[in-house]
Amino acid sequence: MKGKTKQLKKCESCNGLGEERGVFDWLVCMTCKGLGEVLETGEALTDEQIIDGLRAKNRYLQYVIRETRKHTDHLQQQLDNFIRHR
Ligand SMILES: [Zn+2]
């Protein structure tokens, strides 16, 4: 995969929020381009690296949701069985 994850550190400009308080509104942090993380050198990732990273994070979260659902279904079955056999 291109742009494989490099070591990142929290963006100090926005304290990892990806946004900064402007005069009237919250603005996308220009230092990290809104990611909240920068390279060890303090530079922002390229747009492609940010997109790849977000895509990978999204895949991971979808996996977590699927696994959590399976686990919840299993617990619900156990609870149903328990109630049925009391
Ligand atoms: Zn930032």
Side-chain angles (χ1 to χ4, degrees), residues 11 13-16 18-19 29 31-34 36:
C11 175
S13 293
C14 64
N15 200 27
E19 296 179 312
C29 174
T31 306
C32 64
K33 298 181 185 172

Side-chain angles (χ1 to χ4, degrees), residues 48-65:
E48 288 77 16
Q49 288 171 323
I50 290 174
I51 290 167
D52 279 352
L54 291 175
R55 216 176 255 144
K57 210 172 267 185
N58 195 34
R59 269 196 305 273
Y60 172 70
L61 289 173
Q62 285 174 345
Y63 164 79
V64 169
I65 289 169

